[in-house]
Amino acid sequence: MLPALLLRDKPAAQPTYTRRPLWSQPFESLWGILSKWQFVNCLAYSTLARCVSSLSPAEIYQGLDLRALGGFDLDALDHYTGVPRASLARGACSASADSPGIALASIHLRFCPSCIHDGYHATLFQFTPITRCPIHDARLIDACPNCGAQIPYRLDAAFAANPLACPHCLRSLLADPTVLMRADFSTTKFDTILRWQLLLAKYAYWYPAVGPRARANGNGLAMRNTHAATNLAFIGKLQDVMREPPLIQSIASRRSVAAPCPKHQPVAAVDRSWQKSFANGCWPHFQSKIFVCLCHLYAQFHDDHQRHDSVRDRRITHWWRRTWDGAIARQISASISFEVPPFGVAEWVAFSPPQNPTLSPRAAQNSLILHFEEDLQLTWDTWSGLLSQVVKKSHAKLHPRLVPPRSCWLNEPLTHPEAPVLGLF
C-alpha cells in the first residue's frame, strides 16, 4: 500500500479565482473592472454576484446597478479582483441609489470607441454632461456599434454570460482580447480625465439635482436624469471647444478674511431705467432695502466697466453681466438697460453666511456691502482669466454658470480616498 500523503497546508476554505489587477487602469469604472475579472473566470451570475455584493439573494436576483457603490462589498471586491479599495470606490458614479450624483449618470453604457477597443472604460464616461472622451476627443456613444442596441449598465445574468460584449448581438467590444495584457499607464492621458472629473465634481456639488425622489424604474428616473443633465449640459458644450478644462481658481479662497467696515457713501447716479420694474406688484419678494441697495451697487459697477474702450474688456463685462443677471433663459446684451432685477444678487445673498450677530444693523449692512463689492470684482477678474484661455470664436460655447455668484462663497468639494468618482457628493 502507498503511504499516506502529508499535506503541508489545509485546503482553501473557499474557492479562489484568477486575478488580473494589472489589467485595470486609473479611473476605470466598476463595469470595466468586473468585466475583465469575469472575462478570465467565467463564473455563473449567482457566484459572481455573491463574491462582490453585500445584498440579499432576492436583491441580487434583480441585478446590481453598477453606478452605485452601495450594493457592493469593497472588501470582497478588493479580495477577489486584487484592485485597491480606493480604485474600486472611484469606479462607482455615486455612493448609493439615493445620492444626488446618480441622477447625472446614465443607466446605459456610454463609451469611447477607441478606449473600448483598448479594453478601457472610465467612470467619467457614464456622466451625461460629459459628451467627449478627454483622451481621444471622440464623441461618446451609448449603443452597440454592431447592432445599435443600448447596453444596460448593470451586473446581471447577461453581463456575466457576455463580459466585454454586447448582450444583444454577443459581438465583443474589444478589437483584440490580447489588448487587456498591454498595460498602458500614460500619465498625460489620465491627468486629462482627472481634470475633467474634478470640473464636473465641482459643478455637481454647486448645482445638485433638484426634484422628487426618483423611482427605481419608470418615468421618475428619466425625468430626474433629464433635469440633472440639463443643469450641467454646458460642460459638454465646453468640451466641444476645449481639449483641456479651463483653469478656474476658487473665488471663495481669494476673498478677504477681514477688512475694515467701509464708510457709507451715496451711490453714484447710474442708469435707473430698470428701477420701475421694482414695483411691489411685479417683484413682491425683492422689496428689501438691502437688496435694492445691492442692485444699485451692481448697476454702478456695470456702468463703470462698460466705459472701457477695449474689445476684450467689453467681452468680459458681457459675460460677467450674464453671470449676475442670471441669463439662463433670456439674452443679455451690454447695450440694453436693466429691465428686471439681477437675480444673481439674490443668489449671492442666499448663499452668503449669516452676519455676525454682535454687529449693529448698520455695521452688518456695511460689512455685507464690502463683501458684495469685493465679489463683483472677483467674478469680473475670474471671467477675465477664463476668457484668456478660450479662443475668440469659442466664446459662444461658454455659459453663465461657469462663474456663478454662489462661487464667491462656496469652496471646492472635499474628496475622500475611498469616495466615488465625484468625491463625497
Side-chain angles (χ1 to χ4, degrees), residues 4 45 72 160 207-208 297 336 373 413 419:
Y45 171 62
F72 292 91
Y207 294 106
L297 291 171
I336 65 174
E373 291 176 330

Side-chain angles (χ1 to χ4, degrees), residues 10-20 37 40-43 47 51 76 79-82:
K10 294 182 179 180
Q14 55 181 330
T16 57
Y17 305 103
T18 302
R19 305 196 304 177
R20 292 288 187 270
W37 187 66
V40 295
N41 286 285
C42 301
L43 304 178
T47 304
C51 287
H79 171 74
Y80 287 115
T81 65

Side-chain angles (χ1 to χ4, degrees), residues 225-247:
N225 282 341
T226 301
H227 178 80
T230 301
N231 268 357
L232 301 182
F234 64 89
I235 295 179
K237 294 180 180 178
L238 196 63
Q239 281 193 298
D240 289 338
V241 297
M242 300 184 72
R243 289 292 302 270
E244 296 289 335
L247 177 62

Side-chain angles (χ1 to χ4, degrees), residues 15-273:
T16 57
Y17 305 103
T18 302
R19 305 196 304 177
R20 292 288 187 270
L22 290 180
W23 287 7
S24 296
Q25 300 190 45
F27 311 113
E28 189 155 22
S29 67
L30 279 179
W31 182 91
I33 294 171
L34 288 175
S35 292
K36 294 173 182 178
W37 187 66
Q38 172 66 356
F39 185 79
V40 295
N41 286 285
C42 301
L43 304 178
Y45 171 62
S46 57
T47 304
L48 171 64
R50 283 199 306 270
C51 287
V52 299
S53 176
S54 58
L55 298 180
S56 66
E59 292 171 314
I60 288 176
Y61 178 78
Q62 300 295 328
L64 304 176
D65 189 344
L66 288 169
R67 300 174 303 163
L69 193 60
F72 292 91
D73 185 336
L74 277 182
D75 290 328
L77 278 170
D78 184 356
H79 171 74
Y80 287 115
T81 65
V83 179
R85 286 174 56 100
S87 298
L88 292 167
R90 286 193 294 269
C93 300
S94 190
S96 69
D98 294 328
S99 300
I102 204 168
L104 296 172
S106 174
I107 60 175
H108 299 107
L109 180 70
R110 303 175 78 243
F111 56 93
C112 164
S114 297
C115 284
I116 207 73
H117 281 177
D118 293 336
Y120 179 70
H121 179 262
T123 317
L124 181 68
F125 297 162
Q126 284 304 118
F127 293 101
T128 52
I130 300 297
T131 59
R132 307 186 78 88
C133 170
I135 300 173
H136 301 99
D137 196 34
R139 189 163 293 277
L140 301 178
I141 59 177
D142 63 354
C144 172
N146 182 55
C147 68
Q150 292 184 310
I151 302 173
Y153 198 69
R154 296 181 65 78
L155 176 61
D156 54 19
F159 174 100
N162 304 284
L164 297 170
C166 172
H168 305 285
C169 67
L170 308 185
R171 177 71 65 87
S172 175
L173 298 175
L174 301 179
D176 176 5
T178 61
V179 300
L180 298 179
M181 295 180 287
R182 306 171 196 164
D184 179 17
F185 297 97
S186 171
T187 303
T188 303
K189 74 176 185 180
F190 292 123
D191 282 350
T192 304
I193 285 185
L194 177 60
R195 285 193 288 271
W196 281 106
Q197 191 170 290
L198 293 175
L199 185 78
L200 176 64
K202 176 169 67 175
Y203 288 102
Y205 175 72
W206 285 353
Y207 294 106
V210 179
R213 182 186 296 270
R215 295 189 295 272
N217 48 42
N219 293 333
L221 182 58
M223 290 177 64
R224 183 180 174 188
N225 282 341
T226 301
H227 178 80
T230 301
N231 268 357
L232 301 182
F234 64 89
I235 295 179
K237 294 180 180 178
L238 196 63
Q239 281 193 298
D240 289 338
V241 297
M242 300 184 72
R243 289 292 302 270
E244 296 289 335
L247 177 62
I248 306 176
Q249 296 181 347
S250 171
I251 298 177
S253 64
R254 290 184 285 147
R255 298 182 79 253
S256 299
V257 177
C261 291
K263 295 181 180 180
H264 181 71
Q265 296 178 352
V267 178
V270 293
D271 180 8
R272 304 288 191 213
S273 60

